[in-house]
Amino acid sequence: MTDAYIYDAARTPRGKGRKDGSLHEVSSVALSARLLTAVKERNGLEGHAVEDVIWGNATQVMEQGGCLARSAVLLSDLDERIPGLSINRFCASGMEAVNLAANQVKGGAGQAYIAGGVEMMGRVAMGSDGAAIAVDPSLAMKTYFVPQGISADIIATEYGFSREDVDALAVESQRRAAEAIKDNRFAKSIVPVLDQNGLTILDHDEFPRPGTTMESLGGLKPSFKEMGEVMPGFDKVAMLKYPHLDHVNHVHHAGNSSGIVDGAAAVLIGNKEFGEAHGLKPRARIRATAKIGTDPTIMLTGPVPVTEKILKDSGMSISDIDLFEVNEAFASVVLRFMQAFQVDASKVNVNGGAIALGHPLGATGAIIIGTLLDELERRDLSTGLATLCVASGMGAATIIERV
């Protein structure tokens, strides 16, 4: 098998996912097309330069329905002979797009791909697709389904994380993000979003709250306590699955959970011959990819077993990894990862994470791969691992190695 290399990683800024967010006027296909055009221009791609565009998004309905990938290609400046494939692995959709593209290249099915994803959460609401796992009683009962926030609180309860623990991680995420923004660490990857007149709509992440403190978070009420304890009583459902728990400690709220934002990200992946033909220098090799299914009730523990799997499959150990990106879907997810592997917090989400910057579901997996690569280069380090928890109980991971 041939090696698959990352030649470029780009993303849009993340806008607040609500009606007054800066990107609210931009459709999913328009934002995707803007980024695809940017990748074309940044790398001098002409004609049928890539085999396919693989594009992920989690809520595939309304403007994000159909084959959004193909629509984005046609709206962009890419050659119309390039097809498009839309995929959905919920929060890991963007990462799965990258991993699928890399494995296609490794297997010889084309020399290059553009892969990534988009989510316009302010325009297409999370859950508006009526996913069976949440709305089909027969499936929900079989899997002991509870909402993700309850799952995050179960993790905190099961593994001993207090309200102070999760709030402290959130404050640190905000601090690190503010420092990264001040140092322009995201500038290499961010593609400003422009209107039809070429005027800038957004050129920076607008979700961070740099003034966040333990005191300000301490005033927030737990977001999932009522749905857990009162209506419709999801705590009791969870305790049917985990009878050793006599309660669920509700510690998560808006300040220590991922932000609802709009955004897109893309990664240009190709073999050695592609780079030589286009005069491009590879930035990293995609060394390994992995995915796994996990308990659908606790749901969000996937980063632990998928990391165990990817390390075993690639003959590596946790000590071989210089930096980690663990998506901050909820604070307890990252705390559990660090606890399981005894990883130094100074190596995890060093520029902040989704608590501070936001989590545009279908794009985040590609975003954190790009963020990881940029930071490996900035620190002159070698190897990084990116991983996400995934709705309904899955995990995904990617290991990249600079070349």
Side-chain angles (χ1 to χ4, degrees), residues 255-267:
N256 57 35
S257 306
S258 56
I260 294 175
V261 295
D262 302 325
V267 180

Side-chain angles (χ1 to χ4, degrees), residues 25 47 64 88 90 130 168 184 226 236 273 290 320 332 351 368 402:
E25 68 186 80
Q64 291 185 171
N88 186 353
F90 296 128
N184 290 318
E226 185 173 349
K236 293 182 179 179
E273 290 73 22
D320 294 323
S332 64
N351 290 321
I368 64 175
R402 287 180 60 208

Side-chain angles (χ1 to χ4, degrees), residues 30-321:
L31 194 71
S32 301
R34 164 63 180 153
L35 198 54
L36 293 178
T37 296
V39 171
K40 174 184 183 293
E41 293 172 347
R42 283 160 60 115
N43 298 282
L45 304 180
E46 297 296 336
H48 197 171
V50 299
E51 185 76 15
D52 203 354
V53 169
I54 305 178
W55 212 240
N57 65 286
T59 309
Q60 298 188 341
V61 67
M62 297 184 291
E63 69 179 56
Q64 291 185 171
C67 186
L68 178 60
R70 177 58 176 166
S71 297
V73 169
L74 294 175
L75 187 60
S76 77
D77 290 342
L78 290 177
D79 192 296
E80 67 178 13
R81 291 173 294 173
I82 298 171
L85 170 66
S86 289
I87 66 167
N88 186 353
R89 200 186 292 280
F90 296 128
C91 301
S93 297
M95 176 175 285
E96 188 61 32
V98 172
N99 291 352
L100 179 58
N103 291 325
Q104 293 276 80
V105 169
K106 289 181 180 181
Q111 289 196 342
Y113 290 74
I114 298 174
V118 67
E119 206 78 37
M120 301 301 288
M121 301 181 73
R123 294 171 62 93
V124 183
M126 180 170 55
S128 58
D129 53 348
I133 188 68
V135 303
D136 185 325
S138 62
L139 179 57
M141 291 175 66
K142 179 183 179 182
T143 58
Y144 298 91
F145 170 81
V146 298
Q148 286 189 21
I150 302 292
S151 299
D153 286 339
I154 296 171
I155 293 172
T157 307
E158 179 77 358
Y159 296 101
F161 305 128
S162 67
R163 170 68 182 263
E164 184 177 32
D165 293 332
V166 292
D167 282 359
L169 186 139
V171 170
E172 181 63 7
S173 180
Q174 295 284 355
R175 187 195 69 79
R176 293 182 182 188
E179 184 177 283
I181 291 168
K182 182 179 178 181
D183 291 347
N184 290 318
R185 296 179 196 170
F186 302 136
K188 187 173 186 176
S189 293
I190 287 184
V191 174
V193 180
L194 311 177
D195 66 14
Q196 60 186 1
N197 298 312
L199 300 176
T200 299
I201 297 175
L202 186 65
D203 61 3
H204 65 279
D205 295 313
E206 69 174 350
F207 189 79
R209 299 176 293 271
T212 300
T213 64
M214 291 293 287
E215 290 71 26
S216 64
L217 294 185
L220 299 177
K221 294 181 179 179
S223 296
F224 310 103
K225 183 179 177 67
E226 185 173 349
M227 72 168 64
E229 296 180 352
V230 183
M231 268 305 281
F234 283 111
D235 286 4
K236 293 182 179 179
V237 175
M239 286 185 280
L240 289 172
K241 185 73 171 285
Y242 308 108
H244 62 282
L245 297 180
D246 60 8
H247 75 290
V248 175
N249 186 20
H250 293 286
V251 297
H252 288 92
H253 50 74
N256 57 35
S257 306
S258 56
I260 294 175
V261 295
D262 302 325
V267 180
L268 176 61
I269 300 158
N271 60 18
K272 181 180 179 181
E273 290 73 22
F274 168 79
E276 291 174 345
H278 292 83
L280 300 174
K281 182 179 178 181
R283 296 173 61 189
R285 176 169 68 101
I286 297 181
R287 179 161 177 172
T289 69
K291 60 272 187 183
I292 201 166
T294 63
D295 179 350
T297 305
I298 203 166
M299 195 183 307
L300 308 173
T301 55
V304 174
V306 81
T307 295
E308 293 171 342
K309 183 179 189 298
I310 199 171
L311 291 173
K312 180 180 179 181
D313 291 349
S314 56
M316 301 176 70
S317 68
I318 202 75
S319 62
D320 294 323
I321 308 298

